Every structure is written in C-alpha cells, then in structure tokens.
Amino acid sequence: MCHVMVNLYMIDTNAMGIPMMYQIQRDKCFPLPTYDLKDINRVKVTLYGKILDRNYTQLLRSNVDLDLHTVFLLDKVQKKELITKENYNFLKKAGLVEGRYPNLFVSYRIANIVGAPAEYLRNKGLANDIYQQLIVSALKTMKCAKVSDLKAVLEGTLPAIMNEKQKTRKVSNILQSMKKEGMVCVEGSGYKAKWRLAAEQI
C-alpha cells in the first residue's frame, strides 16, 4: 500500500481521473484506491498493491463483467466501510452480500465461486439447532452456567463478523428460544442469571 499526493489539474489533463484509477485497480483485481479530498488543492490517494480480501480478488477474476459501480460497493464492503441501505439492498438482491446491515460479508453464492465456503461459515456461524445441541452438551457437563460462560464455550463457532455485544445477545436469544421450547430453565435475572437443563433433558 502506498500514498501518493497529486494535483487535481494534473490528473485531469493526463486523462487519469478517478474513474480511470478505479478501472486500473479493478483490472488488476486489487482493492480500489482510497481518496482523501480534505485539502482543496491536493488529493491524497492510497493505492493498494496487495490483497485485502481473497474472496473479493478471486470474485473479480471470476466475474469480469461486473460493472465498476458494483465493484466499488463490494470494495467498500471488503474494507468494512459503511454503505447506504439502498446500496445494501442492491447488493443483497444481486446475492452478492449477506449479514445484518451494516455488518456485511461475502455471500455463500460468491463463496462457492471463489472456493472459500469456510470463510463464509466463519462469518455466518452455525444453524441455531446446532447451537442448541452444543449448549445442551455443555450444560450436561457444567450443570449450570451464565450466558458469558456459554458464550465462551461457543466462541469459536459464533459469527466472526459479530462484535462481543452481538455475540452475547445471540447466545441470550438462543437460550430464550430453548426456554420457550422447554429445553432449559433459568435462575435469577440479568447477567448473573444461571441456566440449567430442564428435567427431561438431563
């Protein structure tokens, strides 16, 4: 990655405007340039000479017909930059991204194209019924546990794209669902609440 300071007038007179710089990087299957326009007389350009997201790079190689607008949006997704909900809906409808807005990641359809389903699973996580089975197994050994304890048990399987607060909420939601199904019961409330298996699960 390198930073280049350029004069806007020089770029335009040499027919090397922003769209062309994007196209050059797109053709190389590299991340698109990042422009800093804070100074009205100069532009700071960050050019990437290495891969940031293997899925993104292999996707461009496998789909040469993707238009530059779509590539631009996917580039923002790979850089974990915020896109508008309108653009999210566009990518979602095209089957290009998954995840709960604004936490987006490459979809399974693309993961299949680029040969990286493992990365998809790390981002998406497992099905809830599998989490339930893991929690049942954990509680059979632990007898009782707080949400934080069960989150630690499930840590390696929870969606990598989630932050810690979101992971805790996901575990809590799974436990609440299990409670409604009569699989577990809870003693206490709040973060000190302890979960146990229902009698028929023991």
Side-chain angles (χ1 to χ4, degrees):
M1 181 175 66
C2 65
H3 301 287
V4 182
M5 297 296 295
V6 293
N7 182 284
L8 278 172
Y9 178 74
M10 289 177 63
I11 291 178
D12 289 339
T13 56
N14 284 284
M16 291 290 289
I18 290 176
M20 183 168 287
M21 295 294 288
Y22 280 151
Q23 189 62 49
I24 290 172
Q25 290 293 94
R26 186 255 182 271
D27 291 343
K28 292 180 179 179
C29 297
F30 281 159
L32 300 185
T34 299
Y35 288 85
D36 184 345
L37 306 175
K38 294 177 183 177
D39 190 325
I40 61 173
N41 296 314
R42 291 181 180 275
V43 178
K44 183 178 180 181
V45 185
T46 301
L47 296 176
Y48 298 82
K50 64 178 182 179
I51 294 172
L52 297 182
D53 184 332
R54 183 171 62 90
N55 289 358
Y56 168 86
T57 299
Q58 293 184 340
L59 168 65
L60 297 192
R61 289 173 179 164
S62 302
N63 295 264
V64 295
D65 294 330
L66 280 178
D67 62 88
L68 193 57
H69 172 68
T70 302
V71 173
F72 174 77
L73 295 178
L74 289 172
D75 182 69
K76 292 181 73 69
V77 171
Q78 76 156 342
K79 292 174 181 173
K80 305 302 181 184
E81 296 178 8
L82 183 67
I83 63 174
T84 66
K85 284 195 173 182
E86 181 181 4
N87 286 329
Y88 159 68
N89 290 333
F90 166 75
L91 293 177
K92 181 76 172 179
K93 185 177 181 180
L96 298 175
V97 296
E98 288 191 33
R100 181 173 296 178
Y101 184 84
N103 299 313
L104 308 179
F105 57 93
V106 172
S107 77
Y108 185 62
R109 187 173 72 84
I110 293 177
N112 276 335
I113 292 173
V114 302
E119 181 66 22
Y120 166 81
L121 289 175
R122 281 194 293 272
N123 284 325
K124 189 174 179 64
L126 305 175
N128 279 354
D129 60 334
I130 297 178
Y131 284 124
Q132 290 181 357
Q133 293 173 26
L134 293 173
I135 288 173
V136 168
S137 295
L139 290 178
K140 283 182 178 178
T141 300
M142 302 166 72
K143 305 306 179 185
C144 67
K146 295 187 292 186
V147 170
S148 58
D149 299 326
L150 294 170
K151 174 175 168 288
V153 170
L154 301 175
E155 186 62 41
T157 65
L158 292 168
I161 200 168
M162 289 184 173
N163 59 36
E164 294 307 309
K165 184 176 180 180
Q166 290 171 326
K167 289 178 180 179
T168 298
R169 188 182 302 119
K170 182 174 181 65
V171 175
S172 295
N173 289 341
I174 293 171
L175 286 166
Q176 291 295 339
S177 177
M178 293 175 70
K179 180 182 176 184
K180 290 180 180 179
E181 295 177 24
M183 299 174 67
V184 297
C185 54
V186 61
E187 299 173 359
S189 60
Y191 70 94
K192 292 184 178 181
K194 291 188 176 182
W195 294 83
R196 298 177 182 273
L197 289 176
E200 56 269 26
Q201 296 291 328
I202 300 175

